[in-house]
Amino acid sequence: MQVIRVFAIALCLIGVTLSPLRAEEVLAPPVKPDNLNAPQADAAPPVLGDLLGGNAVPGSSTPVVPYAPAITPDTGMPDQGTESPVYMVARLSDDGPALTQGVTWRVYRPALNQNGRLELVATARGGDADFRLPPGEYFVHTAYGYAGRTSRISVRNGLTSQTVVLNAGGIKLDAQFSGNQPIRTGRLVFDIYEREYNSRGERKVVASNIKPGDIVRLNADTYHIVSRYGAVNATVRADIRVEPGKLTEATVFHNAARVTLKLVNQPGGEAIANTNWSVLTPGGDTVVEGTGAFPAFVLASGEYQVIARNEDKLYSREFEVKTAAHGEVEVLTSSLLKQ
């Protein structure tokens, strides 16, 4: 049996939908159609699977069967035996190319076992999946990153072939300081939540501690994104839509800076060790606390009061954090806090 593959190069545009939930700016870089659509003279144009890390290849809507059934020596007919071949292919969207890597397949029996769980009968990793299963009904869970779908298949004698459309896309996140200044100091991560709240008034975490530039594969939906710069109060939030078969790129902008606290006897003097620190809002609420000669924190832009405790004496100073203005905040021992 001769198998004919039909190749069609598919290129999906990058899209982004942002709805800021705070005063901080949220912006996506502009789409550059020339770079996306025009193939280079010496290279083939990229396809969506390459953008999402799946290395997708073009294919027809019907999966291509990569094998021929076994032939019995006596009859020359396919040997049905006790198991039937099952061939499955995954796509991000209805008209998208087949994925050739990054897909995890799990096949379950539909009935619960004695432990009250579905019995796992087969697994596969890579792109398409080739199983041998006894005839019957099965659940198949197809996972691609954080995207996934569960489908039901009926296996009969002979070949069963099915395509799973994940209805999924990808998201790539980045952050800068306001004014398009790159962030090179401090820890910067993203958390991705479902947009809707549950019965307890909380959002479900989809993915956490995502680094800038990482591509996250998700089911098509709107997600609540939280960008955390440092571990105190420098946070930006946004709602971002992931479209099926597309890579969404978004950049959020932080207003914050990294400050180092020092208790000194004179300006520019040596830091005094064994000092306890409290950073407060102008209203007196505690923002963060620390211990040591040089505690460093990333703080959102704004006004603060810092209190240093050393040998049962309290010292205080007010200071302001400006966007991207990293530096030291010195507290003089001459600035005793009145008690």
Side-chain angles (χ1 to χ4, degrees):
M1 178 178 62
Q2 185 176 11
V3 178
I4 301 177
R5 291 182 181 268
V6 180
F7 291 87
I9 301 299
L11 178 64
C12 297
L13 296 178
I14 295 174
V16 60
T17 302
L18 296 176
S19 300
L21 299 186
R22 281 196 168 190
E24 292 90 342
E25 296 176 86
V26 180
L27 181 65
V31 177
K32 300 179 179 179
D34 293 339
N35 294 336
L36 295 176
N37 296 327
Q40 302 298 319
D42 56 350
V47 294
L48 178 64
D50 297 327
L51 296 176
L52 298 186
N55 194 27
V57 296
S60 65
S61 58
T62 302
V64 178
V65 182
Y67 57 83
I71 303 299
T72 61
D74 297 332
T75 65
M77 298 296 290
D79 181 11
Q80 304 298 336
T82 59
E83 295 184 338
S84 298
V86 179
Y87 182 62
M88 304 195 72
V89 169
R91 303 177 188 273
L92 293 177
S93 58
D94 288 324
D95 56 353
L99 297 171
T100 62
Q101 66 178 26
V103 183
T104 300
W105 303 85
R106 295 181 177 90
V107 182
Y108 299 88
R109 297 188 189 277
L112 300 179
N113 59 22
Q114 59 183 4
N115 297 321
R117 297 181 178 181
L118 296 177
E119 180 185 355
L120 179 66
V121 297
T123 61
R125 297 179 184 274
D128 50 8
D130 179 6
F131 299 110
R132 296 295 188 277
L133 299 171
E137 302 293 318
Y138 298 90
F139 287 129
V140 179
H141 183 263
T142 310
Y144 184 60
Y146 292 95
R149 179 178 177 180
T150 300
S151 53
R152 189 178 187 121
I153 62 170
S154 298
V155 177
R156 301 289 182 259
N157 289 329
L159 172 66
T160 299
S161 182
Q162 184 168 320
T163 296
V164 175
V165 179
L166 290 170
N167 191 36
I171 190 170
K172 183 178 180 181
L173 301 168
D174 197 8
Q176 298 180 357
F177 290 120
S178 294
N180 298 313
Q181 302 178 66
I183 298 177
R184 297 192 177 96
T185 302
R187 184 171 182 263
L188 176 65
V189 294
F190 298 88
D191 298 324
I192 302 176
Y193 296 85
E194 291 183 353
R195 186 183 182 186
E196 303 300 327
Y197 292 95
N198 59 22
S199 59
R200 295 179 296 178
E202 301 174 347
R203 288 186 170 104
K204 180 181 178 181
V205 178
V206 177
S208 59
N209 295 323
I210 304 299
K211 296 180 181 179
D214 286 353
I215 294 177
V216 184
R217 304 154 184 166
L218 299 166
N219 290 328
D221 204 346
T222 299
Y223 295 90
H224 185 70
I225 308 299
V226 178
S227 175
R228 294 182 285 120
Y229 178 38
V232 184
N233 63 347
T235 302
V236 178
R237 298 173 179 267
D239 285 350
I240 299 179
R241 175 72 185 175
V242 174
E243 300 290 346
K246 296 182 179 180
L247 175 65
T248 300
E249 295 187 77
T251 299
V252 300
F253 293 92
H254 279 275
N255 290 303
R258 187 173 186 268
V259 297
T260 302
L261 305 177
K262 294 173 58 179
L263 178 63
V264 295
N265 292 318
Q266 59 184 10
E270 184 177 352
I272 300 174
N274 301 320
T275 302
N276 296 318
W277 299 89
S278 296
V279 178
L280 313 175
T281 66
D285 297 325
T286 300
V287 177
V288 65
E289 296 180 328
T291 302
F294 303 97
F297 307 104
V298 173
L299 300 174
S301 299
E303 295 182 350
Y304 298 90
Q305 179 187 18
V306 59
I307 298 176
R309 179 190 295 273
N310 186 272
E311 296 182 354
D312 296 328
K313 293 182 179 180
L314 298 178
Y315 310 93
S316 177
R317 175 187 168 178
E318 295 181 351
F319 67 98
E320 181 181 3
V321 175
K322 296 183 179 180
T323 300
H326 310 300
E328 296 181 346
V329 174
E330 293 184 340
V331 179
L332 299 176
T333 53
S334 58
S335 57
L336 279 170
L337 180 65
K338 296 181 180 179
Q339 302 183 45

